[in-house]
Amino acid sequence: MLDDQTLDLRHRLLESALTLISEQGASGLTVRAVAKAAGCSTMGVYTHFNGKSGLIDAVVESGFDALDQVIADAWEVAGVGRDGLIATAEAYRAWACESPAQFQTMFAPAIAGYEPSEQTRERSWETFFAQRARVAAALDSADADPAAWHDSTTRLWAWVHGHVAVELMSRAYASESHEEIPPADLSIAIDAEIERVAVAVAS
């Protein structure tokens, strides 16, 4: 079991990594920079994360943990069904807008030399599978062919993620001649998917 001092340093290193990514982008994430920001030697990064790749893994995994939590909370409040799916989509968007650098690192790290560990790869899929279970419940298709609700989840995730990514991009590159793109109505894709599934079941 890790003692409080060890946990505190690990937390500081992770927070320092997140701050550097937020301020400088992924290119600013170096072992030396993280250690300096956390007030320790570079050995601290290697001790707690086994180097830069392990630290990035921790950034990615902590992001999925946080994203999972806000989505689960939104689902619990809104309940099963259309409202639940809309609430999870809005929660996804809100978290991404609050943590854009971590969001980018999770889904498109683009960091030279970084290969996510098998554990991190599996952790990312856990978030998808959790949402797949919600989609199945909302579409009342939990007893249907698993491929059908996997397909529905993929469609909805791609639509929501795509619109959120474009929204974040428009914020980053907004100028006098190019205004920010307003948030999309995320219910549109959800309603379309509900209708598509209903038609498929009826046919």
Side-chain angles (χ1 to χ4, degrees):
M1 184 175 179
L2 299 177
D3 58 36
D4 291 344
Q5 187 174 4
T6 300
L7 288 171
D8 178 62
L9 178 55
R10 180 183 174 84
H11 177 74
R12 292 204 323 269
L13 286 165
L14 184 55
E15 288 300 308
S16 295
L18 290 170
T19 299
L20 283 168
I21 291 173
S22 178
E23 294 177 349
Q24 302 178 27
S27 61
L29 189 67
T30 66
V31 169
R32 187 179 299 277
V34 171
K36 181 179 179 180
C40 69
S41 68
T42 55
M43 184 57 66
V45 177
Y46 289 98
T47 298
H48 290 282
F49 300 102
N50 200 31
K52 181 177 176 179
S53 287
L55 180 59
I56 299 169
D57 279 343
V59 168
V60 171
E61 290 180 29
S62 70
F64 279 112
D65 289 344
L67 181 59
D68 265 353
Q69 189 61 59
V70 298
I71 290 175
D73 289 347
W75 176 260
E76 183 176 351
V77 171
V80 176
R82 174 182 182 272
D83 290 346
L85 291 183
I86 292 174
T88 59
E90 292 293 351
Y92 186 98
R93 175 189 171 275
W95 190 85
C97 290
E98 290 171 3
S99 310
Q102 189 169 17
F103 182 79
Q104 172 72 15
T105 305
M106 289 158 60
F107 290 100
I111 300 173
Y114 172 62
E115 271 299 318
S117 67
E118 190 60 32
Q119 175 180 308
T120 301
R121 294 177 192 272
E122 289 299 319
R123 177 63 193 85
S124 67
W125 278 107
E126 287 173 10
T127 300
F128 177 85
F129 294 145
Q131 186 63 8
R132 188 178 68 179
R134 299 184 190 103
V135 169
L139 298 180
D140 195 26
S141 57
D143 296 325
D145 178 2
W149 33 274
H150 185 94
D151 182 54
S152 289
T153 307
T154 302
R155 288 170 182 270
L156 291 174
W157 192 302
W159 199 92
V160 172
H161 183 88
H163 276 275
V164 170
V166 170
E167 182 181 343
L168 292 176
M169 182 189 71
S170 77
R171 286 186 179 188
Y173 294 101
S175 65
E176 291 183 2
S177 56
H178 298 282
E179 297 181 354
E180 289 185 22
I181 297 174
D185 181 353
L186 301 180
S187 68
I188 294 174
I190 292 167
D191 287 337
E193 187 62 18
I194 291 172
E195 182 177 354
R196 187 190 72 83
V197 170
V199 170
V201 170
S203 63

